[in-house]
């Protein structure tokens, strides 16, 4: 798999970043940047919708409660 990242990240084997914006950039690089940006927007909107549906993401994690819950599950098993 690949990670679609913004220009703030380095280009790596598994990280896809846009081309640097240049006034004289070729049309294929402009099109790639457009598709790259569109894809990132779609993914970010999907994550936002998922977070909106999941109440767990609307509050900070309570690690203490999670540990007690995990201990209770393991003791009851």
């Amino acid at each position: 798999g690949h990670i679609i990242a913004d220009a703030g990240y380095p280009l790596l084997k598994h990280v896809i970043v846009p081309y640097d914006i240049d006034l004289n950039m070729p049309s294929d690089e402009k099109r790639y940047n457009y598709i790259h940006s569109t894809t990132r927007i779609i993914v970010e909107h999907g994550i936002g919708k998922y977070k909106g549906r999941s109440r767990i993401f609307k509050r900070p994690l309570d690690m203490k409660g999670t540990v007690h819950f995990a201990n209770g599950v393991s003791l009851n098993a």
Side-chain angles (χ1 to χ4, degrees), residues 10-56:
L11 177 62
L12 300 171
K13 194 175 191 178
H14 62 283
V15 179
I16 300 172
V17 297
Y19 286 100
D20 291 333
I21 296 175
D22 181 7
L23 294 176
N24 299 320
M25 55 190 309
S27 61
D28 58 337
E29 290 181 6
K30 287 181 184 178
R31 180 162 170 72
Y32 170 83
N33 279 358
Y34 174 78
I35 293 169
H36 183 273
S37 174
T38 303
T39 303
R40 283 192 60 238
I41 290 169
I42 291 169
V43 169
E44 288 174 6
H45 283 186
I47 291 170
K49 286 183 179 182
Y50 180 73
K51 285 175 66 174
R53 292 182 188 170
S54 302
R55 292 181 57 207
I56 193 167

